[in-house]
Amino acid sequence: MSQAIGKTALAYARVWHLVDAKQRVLGRMSTGIAETLMGKHKPIYDPASDCGDYVVVINASSVLTTGTKAKNKLYRHHTGYPGGLKETTFEHLMAKDPDAIIRKSVSGMLPKNRLRELRLARLFVFEGEDHPYQQNIIKRYDDLGKETTLDPSKVQA
C-alpha cells in the first residue's frame, strides 16, 4: 500500500502559524511569511494551486529595517488624477499604520498572479500582542526563524 498522501484534502489542510515581529528585520521576515502563504514548505507545492497556510503576525509596530531604510524608504501610490503621485516615508507609515508595512512587504514578495489576493487574505497582522486567533495557532516561529510545533494539549487559552 502506498504511503503517499497525494493531492487530497489532508494534504491541503491549512495550518496556522504565529510570527512575532518584535526586533525582526522586515525583509527577512517577509520572505518566510511569503513562502508559508504560498505553501512552498509543503511537499505538494504547485505554483498554480493555492495550498499555503494561515499566518498571524504580532508586534508589527516593533519591526526593524537595516541601514537607513527607516529614513529613506518611500511608499508610492497614484490617485489616478494628473499630478496625483503620493509619497509616504517608512517612518510616517510606521506611525500611522504599521500593519500596512508588513502587508506591502509580503505582497511584493508574492507572485503577481490571480492567487496573490487569496494568499494575502490568509495574512493577519496585528500591531500588538493580542489577537483573536489564539485557539488556531499550531506553529510558532522563534527568533531565528525556525519553526516550533506547539502541542495543542499544552496551549493555554
Side-chain angles (χ1 to χ4, degrees):
M1 180 178 246
S2 174
Q3 295 295 322
I5 293 175
K7 296 188 185 258
T8 62
L10 180 62
Y12 281 99
R14 301 196 193 278
V15 177
W16 288 73
H17 300 262
L18 179 70
V19 178
D20 190 358
K22 184 180 272 186
Q23 303 301 314
R24 300 274 304 269
V25 177
L26 177 65
R28 293 172 190 266
M29 180 184 65
S30 297
T31 55
I33 293 172
E35 287 178 2
T36 304
L37 289 173
M38 286 188 284
K40 279 193 162 184
H41 61 289
K42 294 183 176 183
I44 58 153
Y45 171 71
D46 178 25
S49 67
D50 190 19
C51 61
D53 291 339
Y54 290 93
V55 177
V56 177
V57 180
I58 59 173
N59 294 321
S61 59
S62 59
V63 72
L64 300 175
T65 57
T66 57
T68 59
K69 289 187 198 95
K71 295 178 183 172
N72 298 338
K73 181 150 181 63
L74 294 175
Y75 294 97
R76 296 183 176 101
H77 72 278
H78 203 282
T79 63
Y81 289 96
L85 181 66
K86 303 293 181 186
E87 293 182 344
T88 306
T89 62
F90 177 87
E91 290 176 330
H92 183 264
L93 192 59
M94 178 63 88
K96 183 180 172 187
D97 187 16
D99 307 347
I101 290 175
I102 294 177
R103 188 166 293 281
K104 285 176 185 282
S105 176
V106 172
S107 175
M109 294 181 186
L110 289 173
K112 282 67 173 176
N113 57 22
R114 63 183 174 194
L115 295 174
R116 180 190 223 180
E117 292 302 320
L118 293 173
R119 290 170 175 161
L120 280 175
R122 289 195 309 272
L123 174 64
F124 301 97
V125 184
F126 297 97
E127 196 171 330
E129 296 252 351
D130 300 328
H131 62 88
Y133 303 106
Q134 292 282 359
Q135 298 294 330
N136 300 345
I137 302 297
I138 304 274
K139 296 186 179 182
R140 178 173 285 138
Y141 288 90
D142 64 4
D143 294 337
L144 300 173
K146 295 188 178 171
E147 202 172 274
T148 308
T149 304
L150 299 176
D151 184 9
S153 63
K154 296 180 182 176
V155 175
Q156 299 160 344

